[in-house]
Amino acid sequence: MKLTNNTILITGGTSGIGLALAERLDEADNQIIILGRNQTKLTQVQQRHPKFATYQADVSRPETLAALPSWLKTHYPKLNIVINSAGTMRAFSLFDESVSVNALVSDIQTNLIGTIAVDKLLINQLRTQPEALIVNISSGLANLGVATHPSYSASKAGVHMFTDALHEQLQSIGATQVHVMELVPPMVAETNLESVSSTTAPGNMKLPDLITAALKGMNQDKKRVNPGLSKGMRLAGKIAPDPAEHRLATTMIPQYFPNGLI
């Protein structure tokens, strides 16, 4: 997949991995469209990058995406790359009575339901292009669940499974011009998903290095990119998931819940 002269929609593109990808891809003469839920942040990004187009919607609420396909067909009919980068990550104690069910499933609404909704709404438009690409961003925690983030881990495992299903359905109908890639980041503290994360933490990957790995994978039509520690997490998830998840739990529960889960 060539990474020049494309029309690219990036969800969650006002910060973190989404914005970093947008800025790097902008250097290669691509038309960038940023989708986000916060209009103030969209305006700030557009002020810094006047060539970017923006669209306000909240992927965790699929009804806000209803007009997106027709808007794209009207204004950006050559859309051929979609990157699902919108994401949230929250630590929860399942025993905390102040945590509502809505809060508990919020990561699933954004990370999984949002990804499914965007892909479903745009897949047929992408099929009309000579060559197209969908990038769904999961996590190393799709391969090893972590006790501190039960909903996040579940959501990213779902993204992994959904991305595989999408790839196989496209293959089944012969739509091989639509590439599908799962990007599986390890911890990247610069995304600021959590204040607990530190750029000096063991296993942390620098954001520019992740972007370089992602673009290389996109260019080479990789089905899955496991950069940094994610490669080891995928292997551990295959050969010894139970002890690996237990080690993660014993390390991270005291870090996130120093006063205990109860």
Side-chain angles (χ1 to χ4, degrees), residues 60-196:
S60 73
R61 298 168 55 224
E63 65 272 16
T64 70
L65 299 166
L68 178 62
S70 59
W71 182 83
L72 288 167
K73 288 177 182 177
T74 299
H75 298 284
Y76 299 98
K78 294 185 178 180
L79 175 77
N80 68 328
I81 297 180
V82 172
I83 302 173
N84 284 291
S85 183
T88 59
M89 183 177 187
R90 298 177 178 89
F92 291 109
S93 166
L94 297 173
F95 311 105
D96 186 346
E97 293 186 355
S98 70
V99 174
S100 69
V101 171
N102 285 341
L104 189 62
V105 301
S106 60
D107 284 351
I108 294 172
Q109 287 294 128
T110 298
N111 303 344
L112 178 56
I113 304 302
T115 295
I116 291 172
V118 171
D119 287 353
K120 175 62 175 72
L121 288 169
L122 301 182
I123 186 63
N124 284 324
Q125 183 173 348
L126 294 174
R127 285 178 55 213
T128 67
Q129 305 299 342
E131 189 173 28
L133 170 65
I134 295 172
V135 178
N136 290 340
I137 298 181
S138 64
S139 167
L141 296 178
N143 299 305
L144 287 175
V146 61
T148 50
H149 297 75
S151 302
Y152 179 83
S153 297
S155 72
K156 292 302 188 177
V159 170
H160 164 71
M161 295 296 184
F162 177 79
T163 305
D164 279 354
L166 175 62
H167 171 81
E168 291 301 330
Q169 287 205 12
L170 286 164
Q171 293 288 308
S172 179
I173 65 170
T176 55
Q177 83 280 11
V178 183
H179 310 289
V180 178
M181 188 183 96
E182 179 190 358
L183 176 61
V184 191
M187 183 178 75
V188 183
E190 290 169 79
T191 61
N192 295 319
L193 276 178
E194 291 190 304
S195 59
V196 176

Side-chain angles (χ1 to χ4, degrees), residues 34-54:
I34 297 298
L35 185 151
R37 62 184 173 184
N38 187 310
Q39 184 58 55
T40 299
K41 290 182 178 180
L42 288 170
T43 300
Q44 291 171 347
V45 169
Q46 197 168 42
Q47 288 172 345
R48 295 199 304 272
H49 303 283
K51 292 190 298 179
F52 286 11
T54 62

